[in-house]
Amino acid sequence: MGLVILTGFMGAGKTTAGIELGKKLNLPVYDTDQLLEEKHRMKVKEMFAEYGEEKFRNFETEMLQSLSDSPAIVTTGGGAVIKEENRHVLKTKGQIFFLHCDFDVLYERLKEDTARPLLKEKSKEQIEKLYESRLACYLDGSVTINTTGKTPEDIADDIISRL
Ligand SMILES: Nc1ncnc2c1ncn2[C@@H]1O[C@H](COP(=O)(O)OP(=O)(O)OP(=O)(O)O)[C@@H](O)[C@H]1O
Ligand SMILES: O=C(O)C1=C[C@@H](O)[C@@H](O)[C@H](O)C1
Ligand SMILES: [Mg+2]
C-alpha cells in the first residue's frame, strides 16, 4: 500500500482531513510541518524567520526523503511539492492525493491567519497568483479530490473510495 500522501495549497485541509483518514484507516498520521517543528524545535514561522525559505525547503526535502514507505498517512506542507525532486520522492513512496479547493474558499480560511509566513503582508491577488503558479505541481502524478463544500469526513471517505 505504501503512503497515502495529501498535498494541496495552504488551508486546503490536508492536516484536518488527514486526521480523519488516519482514524478511518487505523493508520498513523505524519504531518511534515509538525515533524519539522519537532525536529528543529521551533515553529515553521520561526524557521522561516531564522533560516529563510530556501533553508526551510532543504529541511523539508530531507524530511520527505527520510519518510518510511510503510503504510501511513502523510500530510504535507503546502509547498512540499514545488520541487520536482520532492514530487519524485513522494511518487516512489505512495499515492498522492491533491486536495483541490476553490481559491475564494481558501482565502476565507487564510485571510486572518498569522501562522503561515508566506501569507504575511500579501494581498488576495498575490496569494491567488502563488496558488495558480503551483497548480501544475499539485496536479503532477496525483489523484485530484474536489474538497469544496465537503467536510473533512467526506474528504476522507472520497480518498478511501479511490484507494
Ligand atoms: N473541509 C473543511 N471544511 C471547512 N473548514 C476546513 C476544512 N478543512 C480544514 N478546514 C479549516 O481550514 C483551516 C486550514 O486547515 P488545515 O490546517 O487542515 O489546512 P492545511 O491544508 O493543512 O494547511 P497548510 O498547508 O498550511 O498546512 C483550519 O482552520 C481548518 O479547521
Ligand atoms: O505553502 C507553503 O509554502 C507552506 C505551507 C505550510 O504548510 C508550511 O509548510 C509553510 O508555511 C509553507
Ligand atoms: Mg497542514
Side-chain angles (χ1 to χ4, degrees):
M1 181 193 193
L3 300 177
V4 177
I5 301 153
L6 307 192
T7 70
F9 199 68
M10 289 173 267
K14 302 175 292 293
T15 301
T16 312
I19 293 168
E20 282 300 319
L21 196 55
K23 282 188 208 151
K24 284 179 186 275
L25 293 176
N26 198 22
L27 287 175
V29 183
Y30 303 112
D31 185 88
T32 61
D33 284 333
Q34 286 167 16
L35 292 175
L36 286 170
E37 288 181 345
E38 283 160 24
K39 183 170 179 193
H40 296 279
R41 294 170 196 228
M42 55 174 102
K43 294 282 173 197
V44 167
K45 189 180 173 179
E46 291 162 354
M47 282 184 251
F48 268 71
E50 176 91 12
Y51 303 116
E53 179 171 357
E54 197 180 333
K55 198 143 185 210
F56 173 81
R57 297 299 174 200
N58 293 339
F59 292 157
E60 197 171 42
T61 298
E62 280 167 20
M63 174 59 65
L64 297 174
Q65 287 170 342
S66 74
L67 292 172
S68 139
D69 59 5
S70 309
I73 315 297
V74 171
T75 60
T76 57
V81 295
I82 308 170
K83 283 194 201 172
E84 203 281 328
E85 183 186 3
N86 294 359
R87 298 199 295 278
H88 175 73
V89 167
L90 291 173
K91 286 177 203 168
T92 64
K93 296 197 183 198
Q95 175 60 56
I96 307 173
F97 292 91
F98 163 40
L99 302 197
H100 182 272
C101 188
D102 284 352
F103 179 74
D104 285 339
V105 176
L106 291 178
Y107 186 71
E108 283 307 305
R109 289 186 196 153
L110 298 171
K111 66 183 184 188
E112 311 291 348
D113 182 86
T114 54
R116 294 171 172 91
L118 287 182
L119 301 177
K120 208 173 142 198
E121 289 158 18
K122 283 210 176 72
S123 66
K124 182 175 179 185
E125 288 68 32
Q126 287 171 314
I127 300 169
E128 189 164 18
K129 275 214 176 97
L130 182 66
Y131 168 82
E132 283 167 1
S133 73
R134 288 179 172 183
L135 271 176
C137 298
Y138 294 131
L139 289 167
D140 181 18
S142 64
V143 171
T144 299
I145 302 291
N146 181 18
T147 69
T148 312
K150 292 190 190 155
T151 65
E153 197 182 349
D154 293 337
I155 297 164
D157 287 337
D158 197 353
I159 293 170
I160 291 168
S161 74
R162 289 153 192 262
L163 284 174

